[in-house]
Amino acid sequence: MLTVTSKALQQLSSLLLERAGLKITPDGYHSLRLALSTRMPVVGIVNAEEYVKMLRSAEDELRSLLPLVTVGHTEFFRDPKQFRALESRILPDALWRARRENRRVSIWSAGCATGEEPYSLAMVLAEQGALPIEVDLWATDLNLAAVEAAKQGRFSARRVAGMHGDRRTRFFRPVEDGYEIVSSLKDYVRFDGQNLAVPVFEKVKPESLDLILCRNVIIYFDLPTIRALMDRFLAALRPGALLLLGYSESLFKVYDRFEMVEMEGAFVYRRPVKPLAPRVPGITGSTKSTSALLPSTRALKTTLDSSARVPSVSSGGPAPRKTEAPASKGLEASPASPAATASEPPRKSLETPAVGADAGRMRTGEMPAWSLMLAPGERLNAAVRMIERGDFVSAVATVEQLLADEPGHLDALLTLGNIYSLSGRVVDAREAFAQAINREPLCVEARVFGGLAELQAGELAEARAELGKALFLEPSLAIGHYLMAQVHERLKEHEAARRHYRNAISQLRFPQRQLAGHYPELPDSAESISRAARYALAALEEGPLL
């Protein structure tokens, strides 16, 4: 029998804060219990305090535990704009079509965690008069402990505190430790385990679904996994059916077989009604671009060769050989060679020239009216181009307005934090990254960029702590090792700096995912990171050159 004491939960909470920066209050200890009940039998330990003690020296096991711990970080009716669209348009239309065709409305909540999302959908359907027999609402998650908790439908009082009183009265019953979903609402949902990365969804028939919700899931997937998943989602949806992703997720330049449409202020993806065009050979349901998962990511490409300046946040260090250009102070972009520039296709601009009143707004940092008509990803792309030409005032105004309209947009939060950092607004940068972590507790990018912000501000201990958490969460992240080496070099810890430069180079044997958020002139390609790290390592190993 498993033994989980309050002391063990406190110890685990402290360890997660120390290693991963994941802050879990006593209100979230339920998710810790679920995680422990899943992992402890796997390693053959029945005492939680012994298991936590083992975790301190077993980083691989701690990483296996982490995804299970975060199942509690969700909420009922998450993302109000999307739920307004679901209530007013999406679910009524899907229900009407299903009734007209004499079938059940079919919905998949993919990545349901502890059940808040599917139960929210069930409440809306019940309020619209749908009976359980008319609804096939399938809710799945990889974490089987979370699935079991979802089936029980028990939530703390804090979890349901913000819900409309009528809904709380109608769909919940009070229990000793909070509230439980009433059995009549549980009848709408069937829970199941499902790995989204498998090549075939055996339980899903082709063209059978009216709606898929896969929110705040694919941000952790690499590009091939996302494209393969979108192929399977596309095949599972009926013509004209919809896919909802999280606000921080986009298929821009990643997958082009869905149509993006706006509904009640929310952007959703629709399978085209007309027959799908044949796939271009060699392309997996995407454009030919190899751009990042999120539209703003790494729009600026850095070209480094033997005569290029090496991006560095070091303020000093050995002088380079005369045959090479000097290493830069700060993160300077190296000018691309004509050949490199000619090899890249011209990027189609989404930006409209600022004229008349809009030109005045751009000079004062006010958001031009035309940009408010763009989709969130396009608005962020416009801000990235403003950063690239040095117009930080307009970039800040653009991203701040985007966040006012889309408060949970992770990519925008990260980009804004980076702009604040580059502008010397360190306190504001920290707040932006803290919001990103609150949104996605295991957000590696917030740790990487937060560490970079502290490094730029000269707060080396804080920089080392943040980058250490990033590398714990993602040990193969080459840019993380490169930046950590920069910290150690500034601290005069040359052996540690050498080790991380070598790690940056060695980790490039693994595919490197694109980071969410935009930081101008940061090495992003395997070639640029490798050359920057090799140059810095050579300089450290050879010592000062006369």
Side-chain angles (χ1 to χ4, degrees):
M1 180 177 178
L2 299 181
T3 303
V4 181
T5 63
S6 297
K7 181 180 178 181
L9 295 174
Q10 292 170 0
Q11 291 173 340
L12 180 55
S13 176
S14 297
L15 181 60
L16 292 170
L17 181 61
E18 172 191 335
R19 298 287 180 85
L22 186 62
K23 186 175 182 179
I24 299 179
T25 64
D27 283 343
Y29 280 3
H30 177 61
S31 66
L32 295 186
R33 290 181 184 275
L34 284 172
L36 290 172
S37 68
T38 300
R39 291 303 307 172
M40 287 170 58
V42 173
V43 298
I45 296 178
V46 297
N47 183 286
E49 291 182 38
E50 292 180 10
Y51 177 77
V52 174
K53 183 178 180 180
M54 180 269 289
L55 286 178
R56 292 193 173 275
S57 58
E59 289 200 347
D60 287 345
E61 176 59 26
L62 185 54
R63 290 192 188 98
S64 297
L65 182 75
L66 269 176
L68 309 182
V69 168
T70 59
V71 298
H73 294 273
T74 184
E75 60 194 50
F76 289 100
F77 297 94
R78 186 176 184 179
D79 296 334
K81 282 189 177 180
Q82 286 193 352
F83 263 94
R84 282 198 298 271
L86 284 163
E87 290 184 66
S88 62
R89 289 275 306 279
I90 298 173
L91 292 178
D93 289 353
L95 185 59
W96 176 82
R97 283 195 301 271
R99 285 171 170 170
R100 185 183 63 177
E101 297 170 9
N102 196 29
R103 58 174 177 80
R104 294 191 294 174
V105 61
S106 187
I107 301 169
W108 183 9
S109 172
C112 68
T114 45
E116 284 89 335
E117 178 179 273
Y119 284 132
S120 297
L121 294 168
M123 290 181 213
V124 174
L125 288 164
E127 289 169 346
Q128 295 178 349
L131 300 174
I133 198 172
E134 296 181 282
V135 176
D136 179 21
L137 176 47
W138 190 42
T140 69
D141 201 276
L142 176 64
N143 181 0
L144 297 182
V147 171
E148 288 304 312
K151 288 179 181 178
Q152 294 176 17
R154 289 199 168 201
F155 302 93
S156 67
R158 181 181 59 84
R159 290 278 186 176
V160 301
M163 188 173 299
H164 191 279
D166 291 344
R167 279 178 171 157
R168 189 164 60 243
T169 301
R170 179 178 177 184
F171 298 117
F172 293 84
R173 67 181 186 89
V175 292
E176 182 178 352
D177 56 349
Y179 291 87
E180 183 178 351
I181 298 288
V182 297
S183 58
S184 59
L185 191 71
K186 291 180 181 178
D187 290 342
Y188 285 82
V189 190
R190 57 186 180 97
F191 290 98
D192 201 357
Q194 176 66 54
N195 182 355
L196 295 179
V198 296
V200 177
F201 296 143
E202 296 181 352
K203 299 179 182 180
V204 181
K205 295 180 180 179
E207 298 189 356
S208 64
L209 298 174
D210 297 287
L211 174 66
I212 298 175
L213 294 93
C214 185
R215 305 190 300 166
N216 308 297
V217 175
I218 69 169
I219 191 171
Y220 299 112
F221 291 172
D222 61 15
L223 204 56
T225 303
I226 294 167
R227 288 174 172 168
L229 177 61
M230 292 305 114
D231 275 342
R232 294 192 290 276
F233 280 167
L234 188 76
L237 288 167
R238 301 176 188 276
L242 301 177
L243 166 68
L244 270 65
L245 301 178
Y247 277 140
S248 59
E249 298 165 327
S250 170
L251 300 181
F252 181 74
K253 290 189 177 180
V254 171
Y255 192 90
D256 66 357
R257 307 192 81 197
F258 283 106
E259 302 169 339
M260 190 172 76
V261 296
E262 182 180 0
M263 291 188 176
E264 306 298 326
F267 289 92
V268 302
Y269 292 93
R270 179 173 63 197
R271 172 176 167 157
V273 176
K274 61 183 180 182
L276 297 173
R279 183 177 293 120
V280 177
I283 304 297
T284 310
S286 68
T287 65
K288 294 182 181 180
S289 169
T290 57
S291 297
L293 160 61
L294 297 173
S296 75
T297 310
R298 300 296 177 265
L300 179 60
K301 296 296 180 184
T302 305
T303 302
L304 290 172
D305 54 28
S306 60
S307 63
R309 289 170 291 175
V310 179
S312 170
V313 293
S314 296
S315 59
R321 299 184 186 277
K322 291 182 180 180
T323 56
E324 297 173 302
S328 63
K329 296 180 182 179
L331 290 163
E332 282 189 53
S334 53
S337 65
T341 305
S343 66
E344 291 193 12
R347 190 169 46 195
K348 183 178 179 181
S349 176
L350 295 170
E351 203 168 346
T352 302
V355 294
D358 280 348
R361 292 189 186 98
M362 293 295 284
R363 285 191 295 271
T364 60
E366 185 180 346
M367 187 71 180
W370 58 264
S371 63
L372 299 176
M373 302 170 62
L374 298 176
E378 294 170 343
R379 289 165 66 180
L380 197 51
N381 274 348
V384 168
R385 289 192 290 276
M386 294 170 191
I387 297 171
E388 291 175 6
R389 61 174 185 255
D391 188 358
F392 281 70
V393 175
S394 296
V396 167
T398 301
V399 181
E400 286 181 341
Q401 182 60 55
L402 172 55
L403 284 168
D405 297 336
E406 308 283 348
H409 200 298
L410 182 63
D411 205 18
L413 272 174
L414 295 168
T415 301
L416 185 62
N418 289 335
I419 302 173
Y420 285 153
S421 172
L422 291 165
S423 305
R425 297 168 60 178
V426 180
V427 174
D428 290 333
R430 289 172 181 153
E431 175 61 25
F433 297 135
Q435 289 183 37
I437 291 167
N438 184 59
R439 178 73 179 175
E440 298 294 342
L442 299 184
C443 181
V444 173
E445 287 88 339
R447 300 297 180 185
V448 170
F449 293 134
L452 183 51
E454 299 295 352
L455 179 56
Q456 294 284 49
E459 301 292 343
L460 301 182
E462 289 79 1
R464 180 165 55 186
E466 288 300 294
L467 291 168
K469 290 167 185 173
L471 289 172
F472 173 78
L473 294 170
E474 195 165 338
S476 64
L477 189 63
I479 189 62
H481 286 286
Y482 174 77
L483 293 173
M484 182 66 93
Q486 297 268 302
V487 174
H488 285 296
E489 192 170 353
R490 290 275 290 273
L491 289 167
K492 309 298 183 185
E493 298 169 352
H494 292 158
E495 186 53 42
R498 292 187 189 98
R499 183 173 67 253
H500 279 286
Y501 281 133
R502 293 189 191 103
N503 285 341
I505 296 165
S506 66
Q507 295 304 327
L508 291 171
R509 69 184 186 275
F510 301 110
Q512 297 291 307
R513 70 179 179 86
Q514 298 286 345
L515 298 181
H518 178 77
Y519 193 107
E521 304 160 8
L522 189 69
D524 69 323
S525 69
E527 181 182 6
S528 63
I529 295 171
S530 176
R531 289 187 178 181
R534 289 179 188 280
Y535 176 88
L537 184 60
L540 270 177
E541 291 179 340
E542 293 176 11
L545 299 173
L546 300 177

